[in-house]
């Protein structure tokens, strides 16, 4: 039966495919595809893990003292029975053999399917056996962690994911080419990067906001995505046909043939529009009144440079270096590893500038998937530049790697979440120390421009002081809106209050742009406002001349730039700026 689920649209387009359910947050497992020749090895891993648990429970059963409660023996018998249940065993083999899931993913997928059957049982006793099944699977997973892992490259390897996408037969028979849509309760930014070059045509999560970092990475992949869909991972079943409408924030489950035909037609229209936009790649971004506009790209990894160049980016306006640090179990990249990554991006941009932001973790960007921030309010805690200054050795390691990369091309270093003049002084002192350390080692490095993110209201209000210390500024509108309006941007429950057109937000953005113009220093916007075509003309009217966004958004924004007359937009932008409700006057002059 067809039904729909609504969430927040975060990455535009239409995806149609079969649902792939990621394991719930109850159990932390890796999700990746194996190669066909590894099937038997993965099945053996599960079998060995299960047999080890059976042996363990049988020993416990046999060694029970005579005065042990009868309930304890009965519980062990139930667990032994579940371990040998044919539905569990055959289901796991199916997901490994037919879908090429890794062993852990196959096991937790089958757990989800059987758990739902327990939930639907009328008998209370039988429903409660679901908890026993979960315990049994957790025991198997623990045992499997002691078994040798797969021979393939790790799931985060781009080569592994590309091979998996090319070789895997995900569905039986002629359905092997059917696209897949990943459905999960939540996906961390590190999860999203794992799947960045994978087979998925779309993403759905129960939680998240429009500018959560999971959403940002989804946009960078240019794949339709809906977040904040509440109970989607519970309502959608494995292998359901689903449509992801990334424009409307809607999910349609088990669509009828008529609905499928309509959305396939819309898919073709979107593809044609994207093809048309590619003709603008080599067209200079110049307005009708001859104002040159700089359009740059945001990236997460050095490998994203290729997409930036394909989109015609004039540089990298934001390299989110924190993605080099995530999902490593606390093992941070050393200076040499970081240097190679930054150098790859710099050389890849072929003389165009690369802006590298120092590590910005915390709040919705934990270093590791299982990491729990115990702060009462992580968004206001030890994150971004605060963490870097609290760990000066780590901070200078990163700074030295950036300085060394600058020997290979133009580099700009960007510092996030500054709010105090004392923080500015500490940051500049650390840069000087990093240079001195390289000098002492006789290691070559290049000149860098130093810039500050304006993403805390305090920084926007004291912008003149910031401009005295830095070469350029970059407005991070995602956090600026969050902190100005006191809204958690990753919380779908308050998503409707997250408003880039709030008068206070617009005033702060306008004041920073104007201050930069007075000082003759560059100001860019690297938050999601920069890539929103509905905001392009307003930002141009406010005086913005440098935008940085996900590569997939560049050509659509360029089209708006080419149609704009900045002189005519300036007066209108002031009307928007002074309106009580700016959204009501958001119709720019034609």
């Amino acid at each position: 039966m067809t039904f729909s689920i609504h969430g927040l649209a975060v990455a535009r387009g239409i995806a149609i495919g079969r649902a792939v359910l990621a394991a719930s947050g109850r159990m932390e497992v890796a999700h990746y595809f194996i190669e066909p020749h590894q099937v038997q090895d993965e099945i053996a891993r599960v079998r060995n893990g299960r047999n080890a648990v059976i042996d363990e429970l049988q020993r416990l059963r046999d060694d029970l003292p005579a005065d042990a409660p009868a309930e304890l023996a009965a519980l062990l018998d139930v667990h032994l029975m579940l371990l040998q249940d044919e539905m569990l065993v055959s289901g796991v083999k199916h997901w490994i053999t037919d879908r090429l899931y890794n062993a852990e993913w196959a096991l937790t997928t089958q757990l989800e399917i059987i758990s739902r059957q327990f939930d639907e049982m009328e008998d209370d006793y039988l429903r409660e056996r679901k908890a026993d099944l979960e315990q049994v699977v957790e025991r198997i997973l623990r045992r499997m962690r002691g078994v040798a892992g797969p021979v393939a490259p790790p799931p985060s390897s781009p080569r592994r994911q590309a091979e998996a996408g090319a070789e895997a037969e995900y569905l039986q028979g002629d359905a092997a080419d059917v696209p897949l849509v990943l459905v999960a309760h939540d996906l961390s930014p590190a999860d999203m990067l794992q799947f960045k070059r994978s087979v998925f045509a779309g993403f759905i999560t129960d939680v998240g906001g429009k500018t959560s970092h999971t959403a940002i990475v989804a946009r960078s992949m240019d794949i339709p995505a809906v977040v904040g869909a509440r109970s989607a991972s519970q309502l959608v079943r494995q292998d359901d046909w689903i449509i992801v409408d990334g424009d409307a924030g809607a999910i349609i489950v088990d669509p009828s043939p008529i609905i499928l035909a309509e959305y396939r037609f819309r898919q073709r229209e979107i593809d044609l529009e994207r093809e048309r936009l590619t003709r603008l790649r080599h067209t200079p971004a110049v307005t009708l009144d001859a104002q040159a506009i700089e359009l740059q790209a945001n990236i997460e990894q050095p490998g994203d440079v290729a997409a930036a160049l394909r989109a015609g980016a004039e540089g990298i306006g934001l390299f989110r270096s924190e993605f080099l640090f995530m999902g490593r179990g606390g093992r941070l990249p050393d200076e040499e590893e970081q240097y190679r990554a930054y150098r790859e991006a710099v050389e890849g941009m072929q003389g165009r500038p690369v802006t590298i932001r120092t590590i910005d973790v915390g709040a919705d960007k934990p270093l590791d998937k299982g990491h729990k921030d115990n702060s009462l309010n992580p968004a206001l805690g030890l994150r971004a530049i605060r963490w870097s200054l609290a760990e000066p050795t780590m901070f200078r390691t990163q700074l030295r790697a950036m300085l060394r990369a600058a020997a290979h091309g133009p580099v700009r270093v960007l510092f996030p979440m500054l709010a105090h003049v004392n923080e500015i002084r500490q940051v500049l002192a650390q840069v000087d120390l990093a240079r001195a350390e390289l000098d002492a080692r006789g290691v070559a490095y290049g000149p860098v421009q130093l810039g500050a993110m304006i993403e805390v209201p305090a920084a926007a209000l004291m912008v003149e002081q910031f401009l005295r210390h830095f070469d350029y500024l970059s407005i991070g509108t995602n956090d600026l809106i969050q902190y100005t309006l006191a809204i958690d941007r990753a919380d779908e429950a308050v998503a409707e209050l997250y408003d880039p057109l709030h008068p206070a937000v617009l005033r702060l953005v306008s004041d920073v742009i104007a201050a930069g113009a007075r000082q003759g220093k560059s100001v860019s916007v690297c938050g999601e406002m920069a890539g929103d075509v509905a905001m392009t003309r307003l930002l141009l009217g406010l005086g913005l001349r440098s935008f940085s966004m996900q590569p997939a958004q560049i050509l659509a924004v360029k089209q708006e730039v080419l149609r704009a007359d900045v002189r005519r937009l300036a007066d209108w932008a002031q009307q928007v700026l002074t309106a009580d409700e700016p959204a009501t006057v958001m119709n720019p002059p034609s």
Side-chain angles (χ1 to χ4, degrees):
M1 182 181 71
T2 301
F3 64 94
S4 61
I5 305 168
H6 292 274
L8 303 173
V10 295
R12 297 181 175 182
I14 305 294
I16 303 172
R18 295 277 194 181
V20 173
L21 296 181
S24 68
R26 179 175 58 245
M27 299 177 188
E28 297 290 348
V29 301
H31 303 89
Y32 57 94
F33 294 102
I34 62 172
E35 296 180 6
H37 67 79
Q38 293 176 286
V39 166
Q40 294 307 316
D41 289 341
E42 292 296 288
I43 291 174
R45 290 180 61 216
V46 180
R47 182 174 59 246
N48 292 341
R50 185 195 65 163
N51 290 345
V53 175
I54 289 174
D55 290 344
E56 176 187 14
L57 295 184
Q58 283 179 335
R59 284 197 303 273
L60 287 172
R61 181 74 172 80
D62 294 341
D63 294 342
L64 280 177
D67 59 348
E71 292 82 3
L72 182 56
L75 179 61
L76 290 172
D77 287 339
V78 167
H79 282 205
L80 284 166
M81 179 183 68
L82 290 170
L83 280 163
Q84 299 175 73
D85 180 73
E86 181 58 27
M87 187 174 183
L88 178 65
V89 174
S90 62
V92 172
K93 286 182 179 178
H94 160 70
W95 299 120
I96 294 174
T97 304
D98 296 340
R99 281 293 187 85
L100 298 180
Y101 289 2
N102 67 299
E104 291 85 355
W105 191 1
L107 186 58
T108 52
T109 296
Q110 190 62 15
L111 168 64
E112 295 286 347
I113 289 171
I114 300 175
S115 292
R116 292 188 184 191
Q117 295 181 4
F118 275 108
D119 289 338
E120 294 168 359
M121 292 177 179
E122 295 183 2
D123 186 276
D124 290 341
Y125 174 81
L126 292 176
R127 276 203 309 275
E128 290 170 2
R129 300 287 68 76
K130 171 182 164 181
D132 295 314
L133 178 66
E134 291 171 351
Q135 292 173 16
V136 161
V137 170
E138 286 179 351
R139 278 181 175 273
I140 298 175
L141 288 171
R142 283 198 298 272
R143 283 290 183 173
M144 287 171 61
R145 291 188 185 110
V147 178
V151 180
S156 57
S157 161
R159 182 180 74 81
R160 173 68 215 102
Q161 293 173 355
E163 290 173 352
E167 298 171 2
E169 293 182 357
Y170 300 113
L171 298 173
Q172 297 179 9
D174 295 333
D177 294 328
V178 172
L180 303 177
V181 175
L182 186 67
V183 184
H185 175 69
D186 192 16
L187 292 169
S188 72
D191 287 331
M192 293 296 291
L193 286 181
Q194 245 185 45
F195 292 124
K196 191 156 189 174
R197 294 171 179 83
S198 71
V199 298
F200 296 111
F203 294 88
I204 299 167
T205 62
D206 295 343
V207 300
K210 283 189 175 183
T211 58
S212 64
H213 283 84
T214 298
I216 290 170
V217 177
R219 274 190 289 274
S220 77
M221 297 165 67
D222 197 19
I223 291 177
V226 174
V227 303
R230 301 297 176 93
S231 55
S233 67
Q234 297 301 313
L235 296 173
V236 176
R237 295 179 181 274
Q238 192 80 24
D239 266 357
D240 275 349
W241 275 100
I242 51 177
I243 296 171
V244 180
D245 186 338
D247 296 302
I251 303 147
I252 302 171
V253 183
D254 193 20
S256 67
I258 293 175
I259 294 174
L260 266 177
E262 176 187 343
Y263 275 93
R264 290 195 191 283
F265 176 74
R266 287 179 56 186
Q267 269 187 323
R268 289 192 293 272
E269 286 186 318
I270 291 169
D271 290 341
L272 288 172
E273 174 63 15
R274 287 182 176 177
E275 184 179 344
R276 188 181 65 78
L277 283 174
T278 60
R279 301 170 191 169
L280 301 177
R281 175 187 170 190
H282 299 294
T283 303
V286 178
T287 64
L288 293 174
D289 55 331
Q291 291 284 327
I293 307 301
E294 184 179 50
L295 300 181
Q296 300 189 95
N298 298 344
I299 64 172
E300 284 81 38
Q301 297 173 316
D304 298 335
V305 161
L309 292 175
R310 284 196 301 271
E314 298 171 54
I316 300 301
L318 178 63
F319 181 162
R320 297 184 173 98
S321 69
E322 56 269 17
F323 286 92
L324 300 176
F325 291 70
M326 290 179 176
R328 302 170 61 103
R331 185 185 62 83
L332 302 183
D334 61 17
E335 180 182 327
E336 199 62 30
E337 181 180 348
Q338 290 187 63
Y339 161 67
R340 289 195 300 268
Y342 305 144
R343 176 179 175 176
E344 180 183 343
V346 170
E347 292 181 337
M349 287 306 292
Q350 304 165 13
R352 301 171 182 85
V354 175
T355 302
I356 309 172
R357 182 175 66 189
T358 60
I359 184 169
D360 182 9
V361 293
D364 68 335
K365 290 186 294 182
L367 274 178
D368 290 290
K369 183 177 179 180
H371 175 74
K372 185 80 171 175
D373 193 328
N374 294 319
S375 304
L376 289 176
N377 193 330
L380 302 180
L382 190 67
R383 57 166 297 196
I385 198 63
R386 299 170 181 177
W387 187 58
S388 293
L389 292 175
E391 299 286 345
T393 301
M394 178 279 297
F395 189 32
R396 286 201 306 281
T397 297
Q398 182 172 38
L399 290 172
R400 290 194 303 271
M402 291 178 177
L403 290 166
R404 290 173 60 191
H408 304 279
V411 169
R412 299 189 288 199
V413 178
L414 184 60
F415 301 101
M417 208 179 169
L418 288 165
H420 302 269
V421 171
N422 186 49
E423 288 176 333
I424 295 174
R425 293 195 184 102
Q426 290 181 66
V427 162
L428 298 179
Q430 290 296 317
V431 174
D432 289 341
L433 281 172
R435 287 193 180 107
E437 289 168 346
L438 291 174
D439 287 336
R441 287 162 43 191
V443 176
Y445 60 91
V448 296
Q449 285 191 316
L450 302 179
M453 295 271 301
I454 303 297
E455 50 190 343
V456 178
L461 292 170
M462 54 188 290
V463 63
E464 299 289 350
Q465 290 97 313
F466 273 66
L467 287 166
R468 286 201 291 269
H469 293 283
F470 292 103
D471 301 309
Y472 68 96
L473 301 177
S474 186
I475 306 174
T477 53
N478 305 339
D479 271 334
L480 184 62
I481 296 168
Q482 169 173 255
Y483 292 127
T484 301
L485 303 182
I487 293 169
D488 184 348
R489 62 191 178 98
D491 186 350
E492 71 279 4
V494 292
E496 73 280 0
L497 300 176
Y498 185 92
D499 182 11
L501 288 174
H502 190 287
V505 173
L506 293 181
R507 175 58 63 188
L508 292 175
V509 170
S510 176
D511 288 350
V512 172
I513 294 171
R518 287 193 301 271
Q519 297 285 335
K521 292 189 176 182
S522 171
V523 174
S524 68
V525 169
C526 64
E528 291 303 299
M529 279 177 69
D532 185 348
V533 294
M535 300 295 296
T536 302
R537 296 196 181 198
L538 177 59
L539 291 171
L540 289 171
L542 292 176
L544 187 69
R545 299 294 180 265
S546 180
F547 297 66
S548 189
M549 66 206 74
Q550 301 300 339
Q553 299 165 316
I554 289 177
L555 293 177
V557 170
K558 182 183 284 190
Q559 180 173 255
E560 289 297 307
V561 169
L562 296 173
R563 295 171 175 175
D565 184 327
V566 172
R567 289 173 301 187
R568 299 186 64 187
L569 291 174
D571 289 341
W572 163 75
Q574 289 305 308
Q575 293 174 24
V576 176
L577 197 61
T578 56
D580 290 339
E581 297 183 44
T584 63
V585 290
M586 275 293 288
N587 291 318
S590 57

